[in-house]
Amino acid sequence: DEISVYMDGYLAHKATWGSVVAETANCSESGQKDYGYGQGGPPNAKIMTWGRVTPGYRYGAEVETYDLRMYVHDFGNPLGEADILRIADAPTPGIDSKYRCLTDSNPLMGDTTWKDAHNHGCSWYNAVRKTNSLACDYVQAASNCPIACRSRQECFTGNKERAQVFFVWDSIRRIEQRLEAKGTVCLGDHLTKTKVVADCKAWVEGGTQPASGRPEIAKWLGTYLETTDSGNPRLNITSCAELEESIDEYCSFNSSRIRAFTKASEANNKDFTMAMWVRPTGTASLHPTSKKFFPGINYFGTLSPPQHQVTWGQSINPNGEVRIFSPCEYKGQFSFENIEMKAAETSGWTFLSISRRSSDAGTRVVTSGAQNYEEGTMPMCYYDEMSFFNAIEINQPMLISPIMLIPEALPFSTVQELYYANHKEMSVRWGPQVTKQEREINSKIQVEKDDFSPRSTLLSAPIIFQTRRNPSNECPFNFSTEFLHTSHDKVVKEVCASPFECAAEVMTDPEKTLSCPGNESGAWARFSLDALKFGDETGYGDILYSITDSPFLFRDGRITGTDTFIDSMSSTVKLFLVFFTPRAGITSLMTITADFMGDFEATVDVRLDHYAILEGEQLTSYLSIQVLCIVLVLIMGIDAAVKVYQEILVCKPPGPGERWTAPTSAFVLGILIDMGVTLLTCTFISIRIPAKVQSAPKTREIVGAISAIDWGSEEVTLNEKKATFFGLVQTILKLIDDEQSMQAFANWILILSMLRIVQATGLHPRLGILTGTVRNALDDLMHAGVLIGVVNCCLAAMGYWRFGSERADFGNLGETFATSLEMLLGNLPNGWSGLPAMQLYILIFVAVVFFLVQNFLLAIIVEAYMTVRGEYVALETEQQFPVDVWSSFQAHIMALWYGWPMPYQLGTEIYLWESRYSVSYQDLARTGLFRKADGPSIGKFLKHYSKFDFLYVTTIKRRAPCKPGLEIVDEIERRVSHLLGKTPPTLRDMAVKEMQKHEQKVARKAIVRSATQARRPGFSPDGGTTNDVDSVPSESKASDRGNSTPVPDFTMELNLPGQPSSLNGDAGQPSGLNGDASVITRTDTADELDAILAAA
């Protein structure tokens, strides 16, 4: 089932065609398809077509066929490759040998130095043939210029990999004589002038003989003397002073390329090819006598001692020669191989090439398309096994192109093709007019400085990073999967049917014809990229300008168009640009992300992140502020702890068996916020300070590492450079993410602080409008929020269902809610007026959200605001906020100065006096809280607080207006019971007393008359207690004695000190008690109550 196709005796193609080859092979029977031989035919006749334009074929071509042979394979063994090559090389009857192909090594496969009557050589015919194909119809031209005229066919020698090519330098160089009449030395970049001179001195001084007479440099010395004797310039490398003066550090070359070439040549039996173009710069480049140009170029394996590897120049041959040296033992005529070269051009470019094949020690020298070939016996060895050469000595002023190094011995025909390919281009090139040193040092181009602020610099080449999906034959929808497989079957049957052939993977893998995105892919062979790990993503990175500035890339022996870098399997593409702004000390990372796997369309997002340096005075100021913040929050934390302690004392049960009192929710919330802000702020600062201190060293490390990436170096692979870059970018992103996390952390601290400040505004009635409004409206807002959420969810669901398949702003619920928020702010969707369905949706949204929901919210908030405003308007103690602040400040200063008690201590004491209308000097003195009872402390206290009108002493009038109903009774009972230390009567007590009301009526009247008489003799107001009078609430007074309003019954117990009484407290019965009398009384009217109070 396998077909092997050979061309010129070498395997060209091998594939599996299937059983149709061995069995049916396009049987032509009646009714079958006509393949060009007519309908019908002998049954099972084998039909083979060869080079014919046949119906059904796509790529047929008309060719001539000679000597068609068919070999029967006995025992199933086909001919071997050696048999096929022998048949291909054998003479073929009917074919003239001049029409047979020639191998590239055939001597006939090469142009000669022939010129026509007009002095036109093969290079002229090669150039003219491209525009006029008839030029090579001239028999002499076709015979002498088979390469230029393409008059002979080169044989196919198999599918070979393209040879590696290495270059010394990357542009044409102008080399002047560093040492006049001597030459110039160019070093590999791994060497320095100082090291070379030091090595030279060490070698010269280390021997017992003079340097020029030592036997190990005999080969160099012989060539040196022959060259100088011929009148050509040469450098005496054994003179360290001369060597030092001749070294030009501006013509150094990349040593890593030479090492790579040497390694590849070593693996290929030390075969190699060198090629270059040279041109004289003027008469100084020519021989002083012959006026010929002898390009002197010497490649040194070592300089100390001086050892040539290859030399160009003129020593003994009239046109010059090329010499190859080897440290291996060699018993030839010379200690080197000497191949004469053709004469070089004295004014134009000359192409120089040397190819050496170690198998037969054959060396071919090509000069501008003309060759000299010699076979020798010298084995090829290197003076430096690691590097073919380490320095180049150039003796004449000349222009020299990049030197091509190929680790193969190219045949003459291939070298001539190289010559013809560049001949026209080089003929119009003049090369640089000055040396690199003059260009970089002496030939400066003034650049006008154009300042702008702030100035940023791009630290490295922009990087493109792509995540991809593998093609898959499974799609998200079943029908899509079925359609994919059906389409693949159709392609196999119609496109890949015999006699056509598709690749095996196309025949078996449906995703090769049509696919859906699958899982993440591994290595990307098309662009020779390995997968890179970047954060949580795995993708492929490359230098941006490699993709954008070049139409194709050549990697791993393949040419790939860059326009296919982004295709249907691309998931996301990111561009990374790293900037540094020296003025601001900021490292910036710009990330441009394109997402190709969106629901509707590709989206592009631009993100710019920064990492700033903090050092010097700014760092000192920052640290000072942070320390101050720590001090302040610690003070706040201590204050919160003190408040908690005080609240514990207040909430503590007053006696055994009693319960704790729960603190208010506002107090708990405030303490939690204070402690949270304290802990979070201390944590934030403790993390932030080390990060800011290390910001400058980290920036220096990262920016320096990015700047140090040598993108042009060939010693480090591109994958290693990209891995280094992405590692540094991830470091920057981690620092930026840490900064953003800390900023988010600080944002929560600020939010808590803001809530605490807003809560603290509730201390003053005027400033507490916001907190009071929210507090009063919270319940209604909560229920309204439920309603608003339901309405918005319904509207979002409607929009997503109706427009989700048509508009990106309704593509999912998240986008729909975002669009709803924009509509709430007044931004309507684009193009809404042109769609009736959208118009209806907008109308419903506006009617429900704008006219109903928003007005509901406003009504709730306004109602709560009016309630709070009414409360603070009715508050008597409220003053303006600045006045209250000044009063509080003034009170704190005076308290410290005069020794006043803490407000909460005095407040706790006075709280027990809540039935009092006034506080006297003696009352404050008895508390024992002031510094000195007989000092000015209490007086200053009373004087200070007597300035406030809301603290004026209330005057108890004879009668006070009564509250209707039972309110006055409850108030009097509460105050009197507190005054007397008794418990207010319960409902049961009141019911029992109500049943006794009728029985005690007469006794009650007698008690009243007795109490009135008892208050006169011996009664002294100073001996009584002020609590008795103060216990009467202002609400119980009557403004007019003439209006006696009946009030409900109540019980009062009065202590009349120092008065004998015959009354006891039990239903008005005599008791015979002496001393203080307890009077129990009930009244029916305010007049009777007033009489009792007057007696007291």
Side-chain angles (χ1 to χ4, degrees), residues 914-931:
E914 59 180 359
S915 61
R916 302 276 304 269
Y917 272 97
S918 63
V919 177
S920 65
Y921 186 98
Q922 292 80 2
D923 297 328
L924 296 178
R926 280 196 295 266
T927 61
L929 299 176
F930 289 84
R931 184 181 297 169

Side-chain angles (χ1 to χ4, degrees), residues 270 272 309 324-326 328 356 358 378-382 388:
K270 295 185 179 179
F272 69 90
Q309 195 75 64
I324 301 178
F325 298 85
S326 174
C328 297
R356 192 178 195 286
S358 297
M378 186 186 75
M380 190 66 200
C381 297
Y382 301 147
F388 185 67

